[in-house]
Amino acid sequence: MSGGLLGTAAPLTADVVLLLETTMGVALLFGAWLARTRRFRQHAWCQSAIVLLNLAVIAIAMTPSFRLQVFPRIPAKLSKPYYALASVHAGLGTAAELAALYLLIAAGTRLLPEKLRITRYKPWMRGVLLLWWLVLALGFATYFRWYLPRLFR
Amino acid sequence: MRRSMSFAVFVAVVVLGASALTAPPRNLAVVAPQKTESAEVKIDNFSFGPPTLTVSVGTTVTWTNRDDIPHTVTSSDDPKAFKSKVLDTEEKFSFTFTKAGTYPYFCSIHPKMTAKVIVQ
C-alpha cells in the first residue's frame, strides 16, 4: 500500500476517494444547475453517471475499508468519534445512494411499476442532493479524524 | 583386625569403582536456563517507537497501540512475515522472530508509518 497524494497520513486509496467524492459533489451541483436551465437530457446523464460512479467507489473502496476497520468494533466502540463518524457517514451515505438510485430508475427508466414511481421529482431530487452534501461533509470529517488527528487534539 | 580393615577398604574401592564404571555418563557442563527474550514497540502519535529495533533470534516483540486511533502492524515483505489485525487503543500484537534478518513493517491504515526489526 502506498502513501497518499495530499500529504496526510492517508493511503492513496483514501486520498483518491476524497478527491473523487469532492468532484462528484460539485458535479451534482452542476447537474442541478443544468436542470434549472431546462437542459434535462444533460442533467439526467450527469446525475446518472455520478450516482453510478459513486456506487462503484462505495463497492470498491469504502465498503472494504468499513468492514475491516469499523464493522468489527461496532456497536461497542460507537462512543469514540473515530467509529461514530464513520458509522453515521456509512449509514446516511447508504441511504443517499439508495435514494439516488431510486430516483435514477424512477425518473430515467420505465422499470418500476406505476405505483412505485414518484410524480413530484423536484422536492425528492433536492432532498437527495442535500443529503448527499451532508454525507460528503461527514466524509470530510471522517477523513480528518482518521488521517489528520492533530486537528482534534 | 588389620587384615579385615584392608579387606573392607578393598571391597569399598571395588564397589565404588564398579559403580563409577556402570553409571551413565553425566554432563558436567553447566546449562543455563533457557532465556526467553522480549521487546516492546509502542505505537503512538502516528509512529512506531523505536523506529528500528535490534533483537536476537527467538525474541518475541510486542507492539502496543497507545494512540487514540487504530493501527496495524504489517510486514512489508512478500510473503508477509507477520500481520496483525486492526489494533484499537491499548490492544497488543506479538510476534516471535525465529530467523535472522531485517524485517521492515508499516501500518496498513497509515502507510507512511514505517519501522523495522533487525534480528541478529
Side-chain angles (χ1 to χ4, degrees):
Chain A
M1 195 181 276
S2 54
L5 302 165
L6 302 176
T8 65
L12 181 62
T13 318
D15 282 355
V16 170
V17 167
L18 185 76
L19 293 173
L20 265 176
E21 289 294 339
T22 307
T23 308
M24 282 192 267
V26 174
L28 276 179
L29 292 179
F30 174 71
W33 174 79
L34 285 173
R36 278 183 76 86
T37 54
R38 309 193 68 77
R39 281 176 265 193
F40 295 113
R41 184 171 287 274
Q42 290 96 323
H43 163 76
W45 276 105
C46 177
Q47 310 302 66
S48 302
I50 293 162
V51 170
L52 294 175
L53 176 62
N54 190 51
L55 185 64
V57 173
I58 290 171
I60 294 166
M62 294 192 199
T63 305
S65 172
F66 186 83
R67 275 185 60 191
L68 181 73
Q69 294 176 53
V70 182
F71 192 69
R73 311 286 178 170
I74 54 174
K77 302 244 173 177
L78 269 179
S79 57
K80 287 182 79 175
Y82 184 96
Y83 297 105
L85 276 171
S87 300
V88 176
H89 171 66
L92 289 180
T94 304
E97 180 63 23
L98 289 175
L101 280 170
Y102 169 74
L103 281 176
L104 193 157
I105 294 168
T109 71
R110 291 179 184 277
L111 293 171
L112 290 177
E114 205 67 43
K115 269 184 187 175
L116 295 176
R117 288 189 207 167
I118 46 171
T119 48
R120 295 177 66 233
Y121 288 109
K122 258 190 193 174
W124 270 91
M125 286 178 175
R126 284 176 181 167
V128 172
L129 184 61
L130 195 69
L131 179 61
W132 191 291
W133 267 88
L134 176 66
V135 172
L136 186 59
L138 280 165
F140 272 106
T142 303
Y143 180 93
F144 288 137
R145 184 66 191 89
W146 282 30
Y147 304 118
L148 285 163
R150 284 170 193 87
L151 290 178
F152 291 80
R153 283 176 181 161
Chain B
M1 181 69 181
R2 210 167 156 188
R3 280 184 68 181
S4 63
M5 277 283 284
S6 304
F7 181 70
V9 169
F10 173 72
V11 169
V13 167
V14 168
V15 168
L16 283 173
S19 66
L21 285 172
T22 55
R26 267 190 289 173
N27 189 356
L28 296 176
V30 177
V31 179
Q34 196 78 38
K35 203 163 92 179
T36 311
E37 290 191 47
S38 61
E40 295 237 6
V41 176
K42 283 174 188 159
I43 307 170
D44 198 8
N45 199 21
F46 274 69
S47 57
F48 294 103
T52 301
L53 177 70
T54 305
V55 297
S56 52
V57 173
T59 301
T60 298
V61 178
T62 300
W63 288 264
T64 307
N65 183 10
R66 296 274 164 85
D67 219 338
D68 64 349
I69 61 167
H71 293 289
T72 72
V73 179
T74 308
S75 164
S76 307
D77 295 327
D78 191 21
K80 296 194 182 312
F82 51 89
K83 186 184 177 194
S84 77
K85 65 180 178 85
V86 177
L87 303 174
D88 203 358
T89 308
E90 296 305 326
E91 286 186 339
K92 292 170 191 279
F93 168 70
S94 294
F95 181 78
T96 303
F97 291 89
T98 54
K99 283 181 190 169
T102 300
Y103 296 84
Y105 63 92
F106 67 110
C107 167
S108 62
I109 304 170
H110 311 101
K112 283 180 185 164
M113 285 175 61
T114 58
K116 64 185 166 190
V117 176
I118 298 170
V119 183
Q120 295 174 333

